[in-house]
Amino acid sequence: MGPAGVRPPRSPHVVKRSRDSLRHAIDGVVEAFFSQRHLRFHFIMVAIVVIAARFYGLTRWEMLLLFFAVALVLITELFNTAIETVVDLVTDSYHPLAKSAKDVAAGAVLIAALNALVVAVFLFADENSLHDRFVRLFGTPQIVQPKEVATAGFVLLLVLILIWKLLGRKGSLLHGGVVSGHAALASFLASSIYFTSGSMLSALLGLTVAFLVSQSRVEGRIHTVREVVIGTFLGLFVTILMFALLPNLMARLLTGN
């Protein structure tokens, strides 16, 4: 306290930090989003999970649990980015402690991602409920020869990937390009498991493997997040087209309904 009980004026630096803290936090998230491919990939996956949760009809508490799990992944990824930035600032040469710091931070992201995967399995792995929702959305598949349909869909997908890459004038059929062929094929094969086996749980496990394939393409800097997402949705589209939409359309035309 100053003379006669008068409080001294607050430091302008304190006022500035308090006023700009939110802006700095937002700037940090934006900077990490545009500079880190992994973080962009996680944000896109969060959007897909939220859309799937809406489609699945989760309860309020289930949605809260899901948001907590995905938020934990994003938070640990942000901390991982911050630690990597500080380590790179301190040293530009190899050091065992620098490697240890980066590995531990990456381990935290891995644990958070595995936790989110476990939560997703418990929330979404209700096979009967997911099957009923899928049927209401796309109808009951009228598959007589699933192996032939899967083969035709596989060939169609390869042709679409090749055309897309030729038009994009980038990469080759097996490496690079404007669309990830590996992600497209992985999502096609994983989602085809449901139509050929009838097991939704097996399809979810297959989609998990497809996710890991897509993640590896991003981490290997072979494709961008955008190219991987395009490939994933292309594979899913061809699967639904060949196994659900076209058979149901043909059945309606033949029956006159």
Side-chain angles (χ1 to χ4, degrees):
M1 301 291 288
V6 178
R7 184 183 300 273
R10 182 179 297 180
S11 171
H13 299 289
V14 176
V15 177
K16 183 179 180 180
R17 286 198 299 268
S18 176
R19 182 183 60 208
D20 295 341
S21 59
L22 178 60
R23 180 174 61 84
H24 291 322
I26 295 175
D27 289 343
V29 174
V30 173
E31 170 65 23
F33 178 83
F34 285 105
S35 63
Q36 301 296 320
R37 293 185 177 185
H38 295 171
L39 191 61
R40 292 198 298 271
F41 187 81
H42 286 310
F43 269 107
I44 292 174
M45 292 307 302
V46 167
I48 294 174
V49 168
V50 170
I51 294 173
R54 182 62 178 173
F55 162 73
Y56 198 76
L58 297 181
T59 65
R60 178 181 299 179
W61 289 106
E62 289 173 336
M63 288 293 295
L64 180 63
L65 180 62
L66 182 64
F67 276 121
F68 178 80
V70 297
L72 184 61
V73 174
L74 297 178
I75 291 171
T76 53
E77 186 65 61
L78 288 171
F79 275 118
N80 179 45
T81 301
I83 291 174
E84 288 185 347
T85 303
V86 172
V87 170
D88 292 339
L89 176 66
V90 173
T91 177
D92 56 357
S93 60
Y94 175 81
H95 193 285
L97 293 180
K99 178 180 182 301
S100 177
K102 290 187 175 183
D103 290 346
V104 171
V109 178
L110 177 62
I111 293 176
L114 291 176
N115 172 72
L117 178 61
V118 171
V119 171
V121 169
F122 276 98
L123 293 180
F124 293 103
D126 185 352
E127 187 170 350
N128 294 329
S129 179
L130 187 56
H131 173 77
D132 293 340
R133 285 179 170 84
F134 190 90
V135 169
R136 286 200 298 269
L137 184 62
F138 298 107
T140 303
Q142 305 291 330
I143 300 299
V144 179
Q145 297 175 318
K147 293 181 180 179
E148 287 75 4
V149 175
T151 302
F154 186 82
V155 173
L156 173 63
L157 181 59
L158 288 178
V159 172
L160 291 176
I161 293 172
L162 179 59
I163 293 175
W164 206 320
K165 290 192 174 188
L166 289 176
L167 293 176
R169 300 180 182 275
K170 177 183 176 183
S172 63
L173 180 61
L174 298 178
H175 189 277
V178 295
V179 58
S180 173
H182 285 74
L185 292 173
S187 62
F188 171 79
L189 294 174
S191 53
S192 295
I193 294 175
Y194 166 70
F195 295 98
T196 55
S197 68
S199 173
M200 186 64 70
L201 180 58
S202 298
L204 290 174
L205 295 176
L207 288 174
T208 302
V209 175
F211 169 78
L212 296 177
V213 171
S214 301
Q215 177 81 354
S216 68
R217 307 304 286 180
V218 175
E219 291 187 356
R221 298 183 180 275
I222 302 172
H223 285 287
T224 64
V225 175
R226 178 176 177 271
E227 292 164 354
V228 166
V229 171
I230 291 175
T232 299
F233 278 101
L234 178 62
L236 293 174
F237 169 75
V238 171
T239 307
I240 296 174
L241 176 68
M242 298 300 295
F243 282 96
L245 299 180
L246 287 181
N248 285 326
L249 177 61
M250 293 299 297
R252 291 181 180 179
L253 292 176
L254 292 175
T255 57
N257 295 330

